[in-house]
Each structure stands twice: as C-alpha cells, then as structure tokens.
Amino acid sequence: GGRGRGLSYRIVGRTLLCDAGTVTLSYIGRPAEEEFPVFFDQALIARLAAEFCLPLTESSTRAELLAQQAESEFRRARQIDAQQDSQPGFEDFTLIDARA
C-alpha cells in the first residue's frame, strides 16, 4: 500500500485498488521487457532490421524496403495502442456545465 495526496491505494499487478469514487493519477511505470505488447515487439523488430540492413548487407534497396515495413508496423502499433486507451473526458467545458 501507499499514500498519494491523502488517498489510500494499492497497486496489484496492473490494477489500482482504492475506495475512492474518482481518482486523478499520474503514473510512470517501467514494465519488464516480457510485459511489452506483441505489437510493440513487432514494430521494434522491424525497425532494428531496417537499421542493421545496410551495414550488414550493403543493399540500399533492401534497406529502403525494410524501412517502409518498419514504418508500417509502427503505424499499426500506434493504431492498436490508441484503441486500448480510454478517451480523455471533458473538463471545465461550459456546454456540459449548462446541461447540469
């Protein structure tokens, strides 16, 4: 357990447990490499292949192809990651306040 701004909480795995109805939190974690999502692994592998291709094979054509594939994997990973995040809510928006 721990305390942050007077709120008692506990982190279990990737879950925050507390008795509050709402929580505002800023958290920076350092996950173990085995916890990285598969889409991140694939993007990293593609990027490393593109970076090492030219020094190892001296083929600029192949390096360009791998760079394009790496960019495609990166876009795919960002899209998957964006779908997993919850959308930010509105704060201090006058139209919402007027409805209340």
Side-chain angles (χ1 to χ4, degrees), residues 1-39:
R3 299 190 70 75
R5 293 188 186 182
L7 180 66
S8 296
Y9 68 92
R10 191 170 66 167
I11 297 175
V12 178
R14 296 180 58 99
T15 305
L16 173 73
L17 303 175
C18 71
D19 292 330
T22 59
V23 175
T24 302
L25 105 105
S26 297
Y27 178 75
I28 299 173
R30 297 180 190 264
E33 291 174 17
E34 60 270 7
E35 293 178 7
F36 290 166
V38 174
F39 57 85

